[in-house]
């Protein structure tokens, strides 16, 4: 008997012997992804055009490639708003919306495909392909953009220096308002927009330059059913990855090995991370955006994993904190249950009309109320109402929208169709009490909480789920990833005895 | 009998039943990595200082973070030359070398650590840590750089506007030559350098602005033993990953699933890719830098995999082309053997005094000679000496240096201590004969080779290894990854019957 059939037979037995359903694999991508793509994109462009009106123009640039080092670039990632209106993930394009245009109202400026270059770089979209992906019928050569802009914005002619062509100037009605991405917070992603706005402003009055960001914020905060499907799919991939992480995050493993399990699953399911993976063991769990993932997991450590797949541009955002040994210590369990109770309260508050934070009825205030009461009970606060005391243990917000970016735009008020995180945490950094200003109040606080602090020192716990706001009950899209303490311990035990998928 | 012991027992049997040594795991990182770090870095700075002389100054900036989308950045990657002289992978620093300085000859300008920010972003280096990593003793606050530069380059004072401080102006001798990274080929990585050079030039004469690139090229092309160790380790990680890829790249698998196997292994061994992974099946193997990895592998496909890990900044660069079915077809085998023979000839030519390309004795010419003869034999060229005919089937160079960048700088001449790729290939794109200019010579060529072309159409094969140039025999650092046709088929068969590691 040769070795091959024996091995296969034994492997089959082992797989059969495994607990059925221990490993859940992400389903195929949702049918709506491609089926409803054009409808979704067209609807967005129409909604945008209605908001800016017939005397306005929108100009969007595709993201530029990002350099890794030397002559190597990072993989290409499209700018979110450009992707939101076009569905196209290629560099070198521009989009113009011109609601009052005599002819075309939507024009995509596409770099000409160059077969000689494609041998080197891979396929570049043809005009037919760009039409087919985006539903935009008017596709022009990217080289004609300066001429087009000079016709639409005569003041821009001097600095655009459009190349002379034999083609007739496009018939473009006068533009009163030019919308571009000019967010208040400086971002290197929008350098070209800022330069163009500065040049146009210096060329004289006549066109009002407007920031398109608030309109995108208003449109993007409410997700279409197709978008919710895509977010759900990103979460399903994330859920598959968390199984591998629950199995692998044992004492002796390195944080980057757990990161590898996440990125492996994301890539294997045709996704990517939506933000760099965070795997923090022990004291690293007390750093919010710990990204070095270079330490070794020790016995007794908690491992905080804040990791989300991105699929078709849409990002999940999920955090679980698990005991490397498979069982929480009594102290870890006390804090874990408190954070979990707070998170459940936050999820219950995730309803239309409430807010993410601040308002009397908000996710943040619902979670904070539970945390404050619990911290007083555990001896970690002396006054439940003291915000300075509370901020020593939790100094981040507990909810933000997700979508095309892991921190998607959106207003504070919760509305039907938003998808937001609910992510309370508590962090007992070893130096948490050292940096407080030496006021009498602080000295009194420190003396009072020191004994409890010594008990919980080094613990960092965050639990984060993604919630669809709807008229009915809040829907936890990431519910498949265990979070209740007993279920976490059971899942770890189950996954650690099953063979890998 | 509970299920757990049964599973473990059977799993143990399966592992025991596997061919011993089927899966080779990368060894731990080389001891020289940390042991010889300071010696290596100090030696480089000294060599650089000697080349620029006592009236010159070098100014290097650490790479800036690269935006992914919205408020998410890519993981941080240091600029190669900054890393080469400092070993530090953190943003916000600058390095000044001042060989004729009255006091410090090497100064690192380091952003002040901010404990409040570290809660959010993770650890920032302290001055002691920066000293310990780099061996540079003089560490100044990054905020003092403008004042320092204004003292060293008085003409720069006007546009630097250094903040007024109580600190005394640093004693800096007059600088005649200012070296910065100003490579001829425009690269967004060096925008700050270009701006600074332009501002200084506009401020008047007095300081000669020099490009530091040629000096780095001369230094970096010869690898120290520690550098060779690190490249070997990156290759060892790559070799482990290729085993998973040989196993997984079967008909029905998606290209991105194979990419996931590479990136998983790279990350799991504390590495990263040195360039985006290339996995091209079928016709995608005929595209040189195919990076979309979105197609499905079909029966009969060749799968071209050009993938290399980066470890501690040093990148491997290896290509294998394997049959998805596990066996080459006769046509695939003919081309494969030809490319392999050419590669062996190229490796034999990889000796000091020869060149990478062009010279009578070069890697490129040795490989090309074998290819040209074989192509004539197979009916794919009519004249072995015709370069236009040859370039239809192979239009890339077959050798470049590797190191801190996958395309590392280096001269054409091979010298003891260089590490270079040897990577011939042949590519029979379905449209390869369509785009040739309609000359009588081409029409004759096309008519003559058409029958053979139809036989090999769609095949794309590249075989790439990393070779250390030395006074003795060329050393193939990537020899552990099977490349001879029979060994490739045997490795696929062996790995596909062994359980995964």
């Amino acid at each position: 008997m040769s070795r091959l059939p024996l091995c296969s037979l034994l492997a089959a037995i082992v797989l059969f012997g495994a607990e059925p359903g221990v490993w859940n694999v992400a389903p195929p991508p949702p049918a709506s992804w491609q089926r409803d793509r054009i409808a979704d994109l067209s609807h967005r462009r129409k909604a945008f055009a209605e908001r800016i009106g017939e005397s306005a123009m929108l100009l969007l640039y595709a993201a530029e490639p990002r350099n890794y080092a030397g002559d190597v670039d990072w993989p290409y990632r499209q700018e979110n708003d450009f992707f939101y209106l076009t569905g196209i993930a290629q560099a070198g394009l521009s989009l113009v919306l011109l609601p009052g245009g005599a002819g075309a109202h939507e024009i995509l400026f596409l770099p000409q495909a160059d077969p000689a270059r494609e041998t080197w770089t891979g396929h570049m979209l043809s005009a037919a392909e760009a039409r087919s992906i985006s539903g935009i019928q008017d596709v022009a050569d990217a080289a004609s953009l300066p001429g087009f802009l000079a016709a639409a914005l005569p003041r821009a002619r001097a600095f655009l220096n459009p190349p002379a062509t034999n083609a007739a100037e496009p018939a473009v009605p006068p533009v009163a308002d030019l919308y571009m991405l000019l967010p208040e917070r400086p971002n290197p992603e929008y350098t070209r927009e800022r330069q163009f706005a500065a040049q146009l402003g210096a060329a004289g009055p006549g066109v009002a330059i407007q920031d398109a960001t608030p309109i995108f914020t208003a449109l993007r905060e409410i997700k279409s059913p197709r978008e919710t499907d895509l977010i759900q799919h990103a979460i399903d991939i994330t859920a598959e990855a968390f199984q591998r992480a629950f199995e692998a995050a044992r004492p002796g493993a390195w944080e980057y090995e757990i990161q590898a399990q996440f990125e492996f699953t994301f890539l294997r399911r045709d996704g990517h991370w939506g933000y760099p993976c965070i795997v923090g063991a022990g004291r690293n769990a007390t750093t919010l955006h710990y990204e070095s993932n270079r330490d070794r997991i020790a016995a007794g450590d908690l491992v905080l994993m804040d990791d989300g797949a991105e699929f078709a541009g849409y990002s999940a955002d999920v955090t679980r904190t698990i005991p490397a040994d498979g069982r929480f210590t009594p102290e870890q369990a006390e804090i874990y249950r408190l954070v979990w109770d707070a998170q459940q309260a936050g999820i219950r508050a995730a309803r239309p009309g409430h807010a993410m934070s601040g308002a009397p009825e908000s996710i943040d205030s619902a979670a904070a109320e539970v945390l404050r009461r619990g911290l007083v009970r555990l001896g970690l606060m002396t006054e439940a109402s003291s915000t300075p005391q509370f901020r020593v243990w939790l100094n981040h917000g507990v909810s933000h929208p997700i979508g095309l970016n892991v921190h998607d735009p959106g207003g504070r008020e919760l509305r039907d169709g938003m998808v937001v995180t609910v992510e309370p945490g508590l962090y007992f950094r070893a130096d948490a009490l050292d940096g407080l200003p030496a006021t009498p109040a602080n000295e009194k606080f420190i003396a009072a909480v020191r004994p409890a602090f010594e008990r919980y020192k080094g613990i960092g716990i965050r639990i984060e789920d993604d919630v669809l706001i709807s008229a009915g009950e809040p829907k936890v899209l990431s519910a498949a990833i265990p979070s209740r303490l007993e279920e976490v311990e059971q899942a770890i035990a189950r996954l650690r005895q099953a063979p890998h998928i």
Side-chain angles (χ1 to χ4, degrees), chain A:
Chain A
M1 193 170 168
S2 79
R3 179 160 280 148
L4 175 59
L6 174 65
C7 281
S8 304
L9 179 67
L10 285 170
I13 292 170
V14 170
L15 286 169
F16 185 73
E19 203 78 50
V22 168
W23 288 97
N24 293 309
V25 173
S32 58
W33 175 28
Q34 301 303 350
R35 186 193 61 210
D36 303 340
R37 185 187 70 248
I38 300 286
D40 229 8
L41 295 169
S42 305
H43 175 80
R44 294 164 183 179
R45 292 192 297 266
K46 188 160 171 283
F48 195 97
E50 280 168 7
R51 295 211 178 207
I52 62 173
E54 301 214 337
S55 62
M57 180 169 111
L58 169 70
L59 171 62
L60 290 186
Y61 296 111
E64 289 182 290
R66 304 281 193 258
N67 183 252
Y68 175 72
D71 62 356
V72 175
D73 281 343
W74 286 103
Y76 186 73
R77 173 59 161 76
Q78 189 55 282
E79 196 280 324
N80 287 316
D81 294 318
F82 188 92
F83 190 75
Y84 185 74
L85 294 189
T86 67
I88 293 178
Q90 184 181 293
L93 290 90
S94 305
L95 172 70
V96 165
L97 294 191
L98 203 61
H105 299 214
E106 307 173 342
I107 311 169
L108 209 47
F109 292 87
L110 178 75
Q112 281 211 306
D114 174 351
R117 269 193 69 211
E118 288 189 27
T119 314
W120 284 89
T121 59
H123 182 63
M124 285 177 70
L125 294 176
S126 68
E129 288 167 328
R131 269 183 210 107
S132 159
I133 294 171
S134 66
I136 297 172
Q137 295 311 308
D138 288 285
V139 178
D141 185 345
S144 70
L145 179 65
F148 177 88
L149 292 177
L153 310 161
R155 275 170 193 78
R157 179 171 296 277
F159 64 86
L160 284 171
N161 295 314
T165 62
N166 294 328
E169 287 280 317
V172 183
V175 170
D177 296 279
L178 172 64
Y179 283 83
M180 291 189 291
L181 292 170
L182 297 161
E184 276 174 44
R185 220 193 216 177
N187 183 327
E189 187 162 23
Y190 305 114
T191 303
R192 285 170 298 174
E193 285 84 347
R194 281 202 307 277
Q195 284 177 347
F196 190 78
Q199 287 177 311
L200 196 60
V207 179
I209 295 163
Q210 310 280 5
D211 179 15
T213 308
I215 301 179
F216 281 110
T217 298
L219 295 178
R220 283 171 53 191
E221 73 168 3
I222 306 298
K223 270 63 181 177
S224 72
R226 173 175 170 270
E227 289 185 291
T228 309
D229 288 350
L230 290 170
I231 293 172
Q232 181 68 67
H233 190 59
I235 292 169
D236 290 343
I237 294 170
T238 306
E240 184 182 337
F242 263 101
Q243 296 173 97
R244 296 183 73 97
F246 274 41
E247 193 275 335
R250 311 171 188 228
W254 295 85
E255 292 165 344
Y256 57 76
E257 293 180 297
I258 315 310
Q259 176 191 346
Q261 299 287 356
F262 280 105
E263 299 199 22
F264 176 55
T265 310
F266 297 170
L267 282 170
R268 191 186 198 185
R269 303 298 173 217
D270 202 13
H272 187 265
W273 49 252
Y275 53 100
C277 290
I278 296 170
V279 178
R283 67 196 172 94
N284 298 331
T286 64
T287 297
L288 300 186
H289 284 181
Y290 175 73
E291 282 177 16
S292 65
N293 304 344
R294 286 290 163 280
D295 279 349
R296 198 162 200 172
I297 300 172
D301 273 356
L302 290 176
V303 185
L304 186 151
M305 301 176 288
D306 185 345
D307 300 275
E310 180 176 286
F311 182 83
Y314 288 85
S315 183
D317 187 1
V318 177
T319 306
R320 292 290 183 269
T321 308
I322 70 167
D325 297 318
R327 313 280 295 183
F328 289 88
T329 66
E331 293 76 20
Q332 291 167 350
E334 283 178 290
I335 303 299
Y336 191 92
R337 288 188 206 279
L338 175 54
V339 173
W340 192 83
D341 287 344
Q343 199 220 17
Q344 298 305 305
I347 291 171
R348 284 191 298 273
R351 293 168 190 280
H354 291 186
M356 279 186 278
S357 67
E361 299 264 47
S362 74
I363 293 173
D364 189 279
S365 58
E369 196 191 320
V370 174
L371 291 175
R372 286 166 183 261
R373 272 189 281 121
L375 288 165
V376 169
R377 179 168 44 81
L378 296 175
L380 289 155
M381 287 175 66
T382 57
E383 300 274 349
S385 62
S386 164
T387 294
Q389 287 189 14
F390 184 56
R391 286 289 165 227
V392 174
W393 312 124
L394 169 59
N395 65 351
H396 64 77
V398 305
S399 183
H400 62 77
I402 61 170
L404 283 177
N405 217 57
V406 63
H407 299 132
D408 218 40
R412 273 182 48 245
E413 197 197 333
L414 296 170
R415 295 168 57 204
D416 191 358
M418 287 176 75
V419 180
V420 301
T421 66
V422 180
E423 49 174 317
L426 289 174
Y427 312 91
F428 302 98
R429 278 174 69 105
D431 61 358
L433 298 178
D434 301 349
L436 300 181
T439 62
N442 278 341
E443 279 163 23
K444 205 173 141 199
F445 163 68
I446 291 169
V449 303
R450 176 73 72 188
F453 174 64
E454 292 298 329
R455 181 171 157 84
Y456 301 109
K457 197 166 70 177
I459 292 177
I461 290 172
R462 179 163 69 252
I463 308 173
E464 176 181 30
D465 281 283
D466 301 332
V467 178
L468 172 64
I469 309 299
S470 73
E473 288 297 301
K475 186 177 174 195
V476 181
L477 303 179
S478 46
I481 308 169
S483 74
R484 188 195 290 268
L485 185 143
E486 293 74 16
E487 289 170 12
V488 168
E489 291 186 341
Q490 285 158 15
I492 294 171
R494 202 168 62 234
L495 292 161
R496 289 185 184 179
Q497 58 182 265
H500 260 256
I501 46 166

